[in-house]
Amino acid sequence: PYKIAFIFLDEIHHINHFITVAIELAKTNEVSILTYPGKHTYLKKSLKKLHGEKVTLQELKTLPFRAFTDKLKKRELPRKGFWMKKNQEYILHNFDAVIFTDYIHHKLLKARGDQSFPKFIKFPHGAPGRSYSYNSDQLDFDFQLLFGEFHFQQYNTMNLLGKNPCVVGYPKTDAVKIYKQKNIFSNNKPVVLYNPHFSP
């Protein structure tokens, strides 16, 4: 089995990007979600609801001074760069692969240097189409997961395909499928799942 780390330092909408994959991988590997100290209500609830008992949740602290200033400034999330700096030795020496849902890998990439492990894996963040997803930082990763053929072709056209791209589907729909179906309305009409976005 491999030791796999999922980095979670963002708002809760990132959780469904990776939660079902983490749970599935945990059936045959040692999977940890590395995050900051906090309540993590939705994350813990999701793990329980989706039967993710084998996934380990590790709450790693940031630098003491940064934790103090974060508290003074009433920041809900730690500053990612300082958190990475505090925990980079642990992350780089204890896992075979590190998975990111956003472009927060730079300090770890620099610290990894010319070493080939751990492998850095990029999960997509949201559906393709917005400029944010077409980022040259994609080429930093050892392995790219893509939603579909459109996603693949777009990246190919823009020269954003790394050495190991793979079309895998859309993980967020897995989280919905696993939940037990509820009769929301008193009819049998189709129900459309709408995923809102912070940007209109």
Side-chain angles (χ1 to χ4, degrees):
Y2 294 105
K3 292 184 177 181
I4 303 169
F6 287 77
I7 304 291
F8 174 56
L9 300 175
D10 296 279
E11 293 81 4
I12 62 171
H13 65 273
H14 282 253
I15 292 171
N16 284 340
H17 284 299
F18 68 81
I19 192 76
T20 54
V21 183
I23 291 168
E24 190 65 26
L25 286 173
K27 293 177 182 178
T28 53
N29 299 279
E30 295 180 31
V31 175
S32 298
I33 297 173
L34 308 184
T35 188
Y36 55 92
K39 292 183 179 179
H40 298 297
T41 305
Y42 182 69
L43 177 57
K44 292 174 182 176
K45 182 179 177 182
S46 297
L47 285 171
K48 185 176 182 180
K49 196 168 187 178
L50 298 171
H51 308 292
E53 296 84 5
K54 291 186 177 181
V55 176
T56 301
L57 184 62
Q58 296 187 40
E59 298 184 11
L60 308 179
K61 295 180 179 180
T62 189
L63 295 165
F65 177 72
R66 298 302 171 186
F68 174 70
T69 56
D70 285 345
K71 190 172 183 179
L72 282 180
K73 295 180 179 180
K74 297 182 179 178
R75 294 177 59 93
E76 293 184 15
L77 303 173
R79 281 167 285 186
K80 300 175 180 68
F82 294 118
W83 185 93
M84 293 286 187
K85 184 176 181 180
K86 170 72 164 59
N87 298 294
Q88 67 186 26
E89 291 301 313
Y90 172 72
I91 296 170
L92 294 176
H93 293 98
N94 287 281
F95 297 95
D96 300 299
V98 183
I99 297 174
F100 303 85
T101 57
D102 211 340
Y103 303 108
I104 58 173
H105 63 290
H106 301 97
K107 285 193 180 296
L108 281 181
L109 182 66
K110 185 176 180 181
R112 187 181 73 169
D114 58 0
Q115 300 298 310
S116 57
F117 283 93
K119 297 299 184 185
F120 284 9
I121 300 175
K122 178 69 174 70
F123 272 31
H125 179 88
R130 299 180 72 248
S131 60
Y132 186 79
S133 59
Y134 304 122
N135 190 315
S136 60
D137 284 353
Q138 285 282 338
L139 298 173
D140 292 340
F141 295 91
D142 301 296
F143 191 46
Q144 292 167 298
L145 301 183
L146 305 173
F147 290 141
E149 192 59 30
F150 171 78
H151 204 182
F152 183 92
Q153 292 301 334
Q154 289 282 295
Y155 274 37
N156 190 37
T157 300
M158 297 180 178
N159 296 316
L160 293 175
L161 287 180
K163 294 180 181 178
N164 299 293
C166 185
V167 175
V168 297
Y170 193 47
K172 273 192 171 183
T173 57
D174 292 337
V176 177
K177 288 177 183 176
I178 293 173
Y179 287 144
K180 290 183 179 179
Q181 188 173 351
K182 294 180 181 179
N183 294 321
I184 302 171
F185 305 105
S186 58
N187 58 53
N188 293 319
K189 294 180 180 179
V191 177
V192 176
L193 177 68
Y194 169 63
N195 183 23
H197 196 277
F198 63 82
S199 172

